[in-house]
């Protein structure tokens, strides 16, 4: 091989750090990086037909693989298309290395049509933004980007000017980066939380981030076994390991009134990688914070600290042994066969909870429709549950796509609202091309149902034509079966319980992607 | 009606300024504005199933209606999804008023999941960004936003905090805004350009923006009748009025080598609302500027100045009368029937040029496939030609959608590449719902063909698996007929010349949207 160029060094830096999947939609200014990826078949390149697919898939991948993917995005507009799902990924504290091509450094002065301020676009949705200086520093620049990706929070964006990519790169060592280990919490923080637990107050242990994996949850269960404490979690989480045999957590509901009602009983909340709960939105006359005004908020660990360690030390401080655990979900009781009849969101949630196989990965962007799934599935076969973390709709199908790449051999099940699904329906094509084991269940209610409720909340009892035209997805109804066919994914439309059961069962037994349009 | 709130004042401000179309995809934080729109049926609300549809349609609308539409976008992520087409619109100098909802001012401190820095996201793609201060200033804030939209350049973005929308608005006059009139060029600029025209040098008159409408083009033709000058335009333009009986302009080609070759002959370029030509991208060893290094660049008028006036005064200075004009395109000669055979992009371009009716509006995002259409259609029935101005792909179908709303009674014809079409295919649904007269011709070559050429340009003769996986759209091929059906648009797939001719002819005779998947 001739002398490597900057693009080669970047590609080798990613591979040296075990970043070997690149979700991509390149353009002309990234063509030298494409050529470098082409010379490195160890890198798995996965095309998304729009950048919302690319970044959403990278998020799903990392949540399951527990390591970052790279993305390849074309200039400011390509990045912009991916920003909404970067926003979700940032809220999920997902590790990710975004490579955003830019014009050659000397070309920027010409203000060519595709020129824009990439940094200004990137910063709101990224934890770190850097720009390659020249081909000679590429190894160092890449290492810096990767270091920020693997050390939470993890959205790292490296702007790659075309000339830095195509210029011959002087010899430079490609670096294996060490992640900055999460900080252990102080003894004082542990002691303070322990005192709250012993105080006799009604306490909630609010768990976030990595504390929602099986092992730290088991430790939380051992705390609950010796202290009167409720195990809670935020409304949206990147990944929860749950189901039968695992310690269960209660989720704060999305609707603000229900959330306030749930938290009303607590005199104190101990935060473990979670935030003091706030409303998704402000509503006239309702509070922004959800806990009681006099509720004591005690931080055991911030999201970036070592959450499993903090829980272990708290368990030790309160005398929670590993032998006893509270809150372990029993296996699903046989609830008997649900009789046939008209399909509803509620029934679908129950059936999926009953039928999904062990090891399933649930990607939930059904918002209103699948709200009851979380409680129905508490006793289901052990599974992972991935939610929309930043509220930016359009993540569901891409997230499932990436999760399937990151968790081969496991069944990914997408619970998908139709309104949000339409944002990034293009991701179905990537599922088809990569032959991914994803079953997408579209709750086809033909409306932004969540907004119809919000419109009533602002006092509109009878929506007029303009409101209906903005909140309904009828006239025409989206035909998801044809859409899926157009993108290479087999599918079926069902409107009865027996038909859904049959279709879902069949989809679980076959490899590759499948879509069920459920009329609800 | 009870006391109006801030949202009502904003809605009334838009209507008072004749902004009566709102392309929208709202969320919870915009629900009070939705309610206000619902109380004002004079406003036509058009839903887009993703924000790329919303902003692209607003661009197409304004290019044809010559006045801004409003858009309604949900917080930072909703804006982000629309940024790529705002980028195109900004490059087109399109007037537009974007209303971006934000959390209530007092809620931002809580950093709720959907919180982001909207201003940082907006500024790179907007000419003006402002934020409503409170309901009492809404009329003034709205007037400021509208003033910036109607005074070029025109991308105006007003951030609307939810509490400013829902709070009762004290009495305030809703203002009719006066656009800032474009400045007339100086006499010196006219004299200088006239001297260049008389100098005997080989001169190109490079026309941009509003100078590409029928009347100013006629004036340019009268200049060409008395001076040895070529009438040129940039590679991409917002709107050109062209065809038989109108003065024709030559377009600078997209491929850099062809562009340099075309401009080589010119000793001087006179800029009329155009920029000194530069390459879309930088390439190793090739110049950034396209004109000869010794080519004299003379600015008659900058894009914001009064271009028709500048051309009139230049015509007067060089003695160009209104009676004689050079460069008027003759009506299409009958080129005889193209014999049946295998379909190709070239043949489609010829057939569309022959068959399209007078008054057609062409929206061209076919990039490689429709490159010859511009020359073929020079003698076609009079038509408008709208191009992708900022290079951010994914504008074609939304642009056609908006153009049809902005030019009722005219046939809109989309020349659509498949790769870029997949970015915002959701716009077909809006065409179906609004029953818009749009024929979309998809050039289904199953590749990012433009990038395959660029990859060869960087020296990759034989693309390997990774490059092919990023540049090819095969495996599976997108089935556009099913996609269109899924979105409520009738369609047909054709692979022969006779089938294309038949389908296109039929589509021109029927109202409403239609899609032709042309296998090329």
């Amino acid at each position: 091989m001739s002398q490597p160029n900057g693009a080669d060094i970047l590609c080798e830096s990613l591979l040296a750090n075990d970043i070997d999947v690149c979700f991509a939609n390149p353009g002309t200014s990234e063509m030298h990086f494409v050529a470098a990826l082409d010379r490195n078949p160890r890198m798995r390149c996965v095309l998304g037909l729009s950048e919302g697919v690319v970044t959403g898939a990278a998020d799903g991948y990392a949540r399951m693989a527990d390591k970052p993917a790279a993305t390849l995005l074309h200039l400011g507009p390509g990045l912009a298309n991916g920003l909404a799902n970067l926003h979700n990924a940032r809220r999920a504290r997902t590790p990710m290395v975004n490579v955003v091509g830019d014009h050659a450094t000397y070309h920027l002065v010409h203000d060519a049509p595709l020129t824009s301020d990439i940094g200004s676009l990137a910063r709101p949705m990224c934890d770190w933004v850097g720009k390659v200086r020249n081909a000679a520093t590429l190894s160092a620049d890449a290492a810096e980007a990767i270091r920020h990706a693997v050390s939470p929070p993890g959205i790292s964006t490296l702007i790659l000017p075309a000339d830095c990519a195509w210029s011959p790169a002087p010899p430079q060592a490609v670096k294996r980066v060490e992640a900055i280990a999460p900080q252990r919490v102080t003894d004082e923080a542990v002691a303070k939380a322990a005192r709250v637990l012993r105080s006799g107050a009604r306490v909630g242990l609010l768990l976030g981030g990595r504390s929602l994996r099986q092992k730290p949850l088991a430790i939380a269960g051992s705390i609950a076994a010796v202290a009167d404490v409720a195990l809670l979690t935020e409304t949206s989480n990147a990944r929860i390991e749950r189901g039968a045999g695992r310690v269960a957590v209660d989720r704060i509901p999305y609707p603000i009134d229900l959330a306030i009602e749930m938290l009303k009983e607590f005199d104190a909340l101990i935060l473990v990688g979670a935030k003091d709960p706030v409303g998704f939105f402000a509503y006239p006359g309702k509070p922004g914070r959800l806990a009681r005004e006099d509720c004591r908020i005690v931080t055991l660990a911030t999201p970036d600290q070592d959450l499993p360690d903090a829980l272990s030390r708290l368990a030790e401080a309160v005398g929670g042994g590993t032998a006893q655990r509270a809150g372990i979900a029993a296996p699903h009781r046989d609830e008997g066969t649900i009789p046939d009849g008209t399909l509803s969101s509620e029934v679908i949630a129950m059936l999926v909870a009953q039928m999904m196989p062990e090891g399933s990965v649930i990607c939930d962007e059904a918002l209103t429709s699948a709200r009851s799934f979380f409680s129905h599935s508490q006793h289901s076969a052990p599974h992972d549950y991935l939610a929309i973390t930043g509220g930016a709709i359009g993540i569901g199908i891409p997230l499932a796509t990436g999760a399937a790449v990151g968790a081969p051999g496991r069944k990914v099940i997408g619970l998908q609202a139709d309104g949000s699904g339409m944002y990034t329906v293009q991701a179905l094509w990537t599922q088809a091309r990569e032959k991914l084991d994803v079953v997408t269940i579209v709750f086809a209610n033909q409306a932004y149902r969540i907004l119809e409720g919000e419109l009533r909340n602002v006092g509109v009892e009878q929506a007029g034509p303009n409101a209906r035209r903005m909140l309904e997805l009828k006239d025409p109804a989206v035909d998801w079966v044809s859409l899926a066919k157009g993108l290479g994914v087999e599918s079926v439309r069902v409107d009865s319980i027996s038909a859904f059961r049959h279709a879902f069962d069949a989809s679980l037994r076959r490899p590759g992607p499948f879509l069920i349009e459920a009329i609800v």
Side-chain angles (χ1 to χ4, degrees), chain A:
Chain A
M1 185 176 157
S2 55
Q3 187 185 4
N5 63 20
D8 290 310
I9 301 291
L10 176 53
C11 189
E12 287 162 24
S13 299
L14 293 167
L15 288 169
N17 286 281
D18 206 23
I19 300 173
D20 52 10
V21 174
C22 180
F23 296 95
N25 192 295
T28 297
S29 39
E30 294 79 43
M31 220 29 68
H32 288 83
F33 189 53
V34 167
L37 294 168
D38 203 35
R39 287 189 286 270
N40 273 289
R42 221 189 101 205
M43 184 70 80
R44 178 176 178 184
C45 294
V46 178
L47 177 63
L49 295 188
S50 74
E51 291 85 355
V53 177
V54 169
T55 53
D59 186 4
Y61 171 87
R63 292 197 205 183
M64 292 313 300
D66 277 332
K67 64 176 189 174
T71 73
L72 174 52
L73 305 168
H74 180 47
L75 297 165
L79 169 65
N81 288 331
L83 283 174
N85 277 340
L86 283 188
H87 172 86
N88 287 322
R90 188 172 79 89
R91 294 287 177 180
R93 313 183 77 77
T94 295
M96 196 183 302
V97 179
N98 303 297
V99 177
V100 182
D102 196 3
H103 285 305
T105 49
Y106 60 83
H107 199 65
L108 287 174
V109 66
H110 295 308
D111 190 36
L114 268 164
T115 308
S116 65
D117 181 348
I118 298 175
S120 179
L121 295 170
R123 276 184 287 273
M125 273 53 169
C126 300
D127 300 302
W128 181 84
V129 180
K131 186 167 180 171
V132 173
R133 293 159 288 171
N134 57 62
T137 63
L138 234 160
S139 162
D141 294 337
E144 185 74 358
I146 295 166
R147 192 184 343 270
H148 279 90
V150 296
S151 310
I155 305 296
S156 183
T157 293
L158 184 64
I159 301 167
L160 175 65
D163 52 338
C164 303
W166 77 51
S167 297
Q172 51 197 295
V174 164
K175 290 172 194 164
R176 169 88 198 174
V177 170
E178 290 300 319
I180 299 165
Q183 218 178 6
R184 296 182 72 209
V185 304
T186 62
D187 290 335
E188 288 70 27
V190 175
K192 193 170 172 188
R195 276 197 303 275
V196 173
L197 282 177
R198 288 193 215 96
S199 67
R202 179 63 181 145
V203 181
L205 198 61
L206 189 59
L207 302 162
R210 287 289 181 126
S211 73
L212 296 165
R213 302 295 178 89
Q214 184 170 2
K215 282 186 190 173
L217 278 177
I219 302 169
S222 76
I223 295 171
V226 295
D228 177 26
V229 61
L231 303 184
L232 308 174
T233 190
E234 294 167 301
T235 307
S236 304
N237 287 285
R239 179 177 170 189
I240 310 180
E241 292 181 342
R242 61 196 296 273
R246 293 174 173 171
V247 169
V249 289
D250 277 342
R251 191 171 60 161
I252 300 175
Y254 174 88
I256 188 162
D257 294 334
L258 298 182
I260 291 169
E261 179 64 27
M262 181 208 205
L263 293 176
K264 206 169 61 176
E265 66 170 288
F266 294 103
D267 306 312
L269 290 177
I270 299 174
L271 306 180
V272 188
K275 288 171 60 178
D276 183 9
V278 300
F280 249 71
F281 296 100
Y283 298 88
K286 294 182 181 176
R289 289 184 56 245
L290 302 175
R292 267 185 4 228
E293 267 195 50
D294 65 340
C295 176
R296 204 172 149 202
I297 306 292
V298 176
T299 301
L300 172 63
T302 60
D304 288 339
Q305 291 182 308
D306 189 338
L307 308 184
D309 172 75
L311 282 172
S312 292
R313 286 159 60 201
L314 181 60
E316 204 174 314
V318 296
T322 50
Q324 51 179 346
R325 269 166 215 160
I328 294 181
H332 216 297
R333 293 157 295 141
D334 185 1
E335 296 182 2
T337 307
I338 299 166
D340 195 14
T342 310
L343 201 54
S344 69
S345 300
E346 180 71 17
V347 168
I348 293 173
M350 290 168 67
L351 286 173
V352 174
Q354 279 183 18
M355 295 168 68
M356 65 184 187
E358 181 166 347
S360 292
V361 179
I362 303 291
C363 294
D364 181 359
E365 193 187 32
L367 307 173
T368 47
S369 293
R371 239 167 229 170
S372 69
F373 173 80
F374 194 82
S375 55
H376 286 306
S377 57
Q378 185 158 315
H379 305 276
S380 294
H383 63 279
D384 286 63
Y385 179 86
L386 282 51
I388 168 175
T389 46
I393 64 172
I395 194 173
I397 308 180
L399 191 75
T401 304
V405 175
R410 298 176 65 173
K411 202 63 158 178
V412 178
I413 300 168
L415 305 177
Q416 187 59 56
D418 52 359
S420 48
M422 275 310 301
Y423 265 59
T424 45
V425 64
Q426 291 88 343
L428 290 175
W429 180 86
T430 302
Q431 294 179 10
R433 171 178 271 195
E434 302 290 328
K435 301 180 175 56
L436 301 174
D437 273 340
V438 182
V439 183
T440 303
I441 300 167
V442 176
F443 293 79
N445 63 18
Q446 300 174 12
Y448 294 111
R449 185 63 43 107
I450 196 168
L451 297 183
E452 293 182 343
E454 300 288 7
L455 189 67
R456 281 191 298 274
N457 284 346
V458 307
V460 177
E461 286 305 323
Q462 191 72 39
N466 264 342
R468 285 205 308 274
R469 289 176 70 77
M470 287 189 280
L471 305 187
E472 288 182 359
L473 299 173
K474 297 166 184 167
D475 185 22
V478 171
D479 163 2
W480 281 88
V481 170
S482 294
L483 265 188
K485 179 164 185 276
L487 298 167
V489 170
E490 270 193 81
S491 64
V492 66
R493 180 177 299 117
V494 298
D495 61 0
S496 74
I497 291 174
S498 60
F500 176 82
R501 188 199 304 272
H502 178 77
F504 186 51
D505 183 59
S507 74
L508 295 174
R509 293 167 191 276
R510 66 194 289 291
F514 195 82
L515 182 142
I516 300 172
E517 176 179 355
I519 306 295
V520 292

